[in-house]
């Protein structure tokens, strides 16, 4: 069993007062005092990612110690206050357990990219929140006719002021790459529709967080949306690979 890093849960009283092992339902009730958006699924997900290792009864039920609850609270706080991905959080906790002094980054605003691991870190692209049409054409190296075709199928969408979100560059390059395999914009309408449905599901989850009175909870909505988007992309990739393995054994 891992030891809880010092100060992992702060002073919110997240640990069990009687120090007895707790069920996952009891842990949920304790954590919700500070993290009202947390769910049992979230706790199970953090366990699956190796962030906490509860004991198991002979019948398979989880039993969380006070140290486990403190560790979970610390993980949730690092996600909420520092917008750190789970990989970085895990490395931070492991370093603390080795006795190393690790400084967390200052609380920051969430990055613009919602989906972790999708954008290419070496890719050069404009840094402005919005770009103009000429910048989009230059970044994607396509002509007006091609861009207009993508827009007619809703793959690239301009704002009312004529500008484009920075994500349009990545979308345009991917559409162009798929086109080299003979996939035309009309073939990609189903992909666009699927993305919009998934965005709707994410919005259903984070909408209550954005309406919450606690400003930290509202700020955490963006981090939650980013994590859900990442999981959705991973699920889509796994399902696609599974479907191709069945069709192309």
């Amino acid at each position: 069993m891992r030891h809880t890093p010092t100060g992992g849960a702060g002073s919110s009283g997240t640990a069990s007062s009687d120090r007895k092992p707790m069920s996952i339902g009891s842990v949920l009730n304790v954590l919700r005092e500070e993290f009202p958006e947390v769910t049992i699924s979230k706790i199970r997900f953090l366990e699956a990612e190796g962030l906490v290792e509860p004991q198991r009864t002979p019948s398979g039920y989880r039993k969380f110690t006070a140290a486990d609850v403190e560790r979970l609270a610390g993980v949730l706080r690092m996600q909420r206050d520092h917008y750190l991905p789970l990989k970085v959080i895990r490395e931070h906790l492991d370093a603390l357990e080795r006795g190393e002094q690790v400084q967390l980054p200052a609380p920051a605003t969430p990055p613009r990219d919602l989906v972790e691991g999708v954008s290419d870190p070496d890719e050069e692209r404009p840094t402005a929140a919005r770009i103009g049409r000429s910048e989009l054409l230059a970044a994607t190296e396509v002509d007006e006719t091609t861009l207009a075709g993508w827009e007619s199928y809703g793959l690239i969408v301009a704002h009312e002021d004529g500008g484009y979100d920075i994500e349009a560059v990545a979308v345009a390059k991917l559409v162009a790459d798929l086109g080299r395999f003979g996939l035309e914009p009309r073939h990609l309408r189903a992909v666009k529709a699927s993305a919009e449905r998934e965005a709707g599901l994410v919005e259903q989850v984070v909408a209550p967080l954005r309406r919450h009175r606690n400003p930290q909870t509202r700020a955490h909505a963006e981090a939650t949306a980013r994590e859900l988007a990442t999981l959705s992309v991973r699920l889509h990739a796994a399902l696609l690979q599974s479907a191709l393995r069945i069709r192309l054994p």
Side-chain angles (χ1 to χ4, degrees):
M1 173 63 64
R2 292 173 173 167
H3 297 289
T4 305
T6 302
S11 58
S12 61
T14 53
S16 173
S17 58
D18 56 11
R19 317 301 288 183
K20 293 180 180 179
M22 305 168 65
S23 68
I24 192 169
S26 298
V27 172
L28 178 66
N29 291 333
V30 171
L31 291 175
R32 276 186 168 170
E33 294 179 9
E34 182 179 355
F35 310 99
E37 75 284 356
V38 73
T39 63
I40 285 182
S41 296
K42 174 72 171 183
I43 297 173
R44 289 172 176 165
F45 171 73
L46 293 177
E47 178 189 356
E49 291 293 315
L51 274 302
V52 66
E53 299 173 1
Q55 299 172 351
R56 293 275 186 162
T57 66
S59 55
Y61 291 101
R62 296 172 178 84
K63 287 297 180 182
F64 295 81
T65 64
D68 293 331
V69 181
E70 294 286 338
R71 185 180 179 92
L72 283 169
V75 170
L76 294 171
R77 191 171 293 108
M78 281 187 275
Q79 283 190 306
R80 182 193 65 194
D81 298 344
H82 300 274
Y83 302 103
L84 297 179
L86 293 181
K87 178 181 178 181
V88 175
I89 292 175
R90 187 184 301 108
E91 293 172 351
H92 172 77
L93 295 178
D94 290 345
L96 288 178
E97 290 176 355
R98 293 192 298 268
E100 301 175 11
Q101 294 296 324
V102 181
Q103 184 66 38
L104 281 174
T109 56
R112 183 168 180 80
D113 289 331
L114 284 179
V115 184
E116 299 173 2
V118 173
S119 59
D120 185 350
D122 298 324
E123 178 184 8
E124 293 185 4
R125 61 181 185 172
T127 57
R130 292 269 185 89
I131 61 174
R133 191 175 187 84
S134 60
E135 292 176 292
L136 179 59
L137 290 169
T140 55
E141 300 180 344
V142 299
D143 55 30
E144 277 279 359
T145 302
T146 301
L147 178 56
W150 294 345
E151 289 179 314
S152 68
Y153 286 96
L155 299 174
I156 303 292
V157 180
H159 288 272
E160 293 181 358
D161 61 4
Y164 298 85
D165 287 332
I166 195 64
E167 288 83 8
V169 176
V171 172
K173 288 186 175 182
L174 289 169
V175 171
D177 288 341
L178 289 169
R180 284 191 272 274
F181 290 89
L183 291 175
E184 301 176 7
R186 60 187 176 89
H187 298 136
L188 303 177
R189 286 182 297 183
V191 179
K192 168 73 172 178
S194 176
E196 291 178 344
R197 287 193 296 270
E198 291 176 18
L201 291 175
V202 173
E203 179 60 26
Q204 288 180 26
V205 174
V206 302
L209 306 183
R210 288 174 174 163
R211 294 193 297 265
H212 203 276
R213 288 179 295 179
N214 187 330
Q216 289 184 325
T217 299
R218 292 198 301 270
H220 185 53
E222 196 76 14
T224 300
R226 186 170 65 252
E227 186 172 335
L228 288 172
T230 300
L231 291 172
S232 179
V233 169
R234 289 168 56 187
L235 175 61
H236 178 85
L239 290 173
L240 179 58
Q241 291 174 355
S242 178
L244 288 174
R245 190 166 289 114
I246 293 173
R247 300 186 184 195
L248 304 172

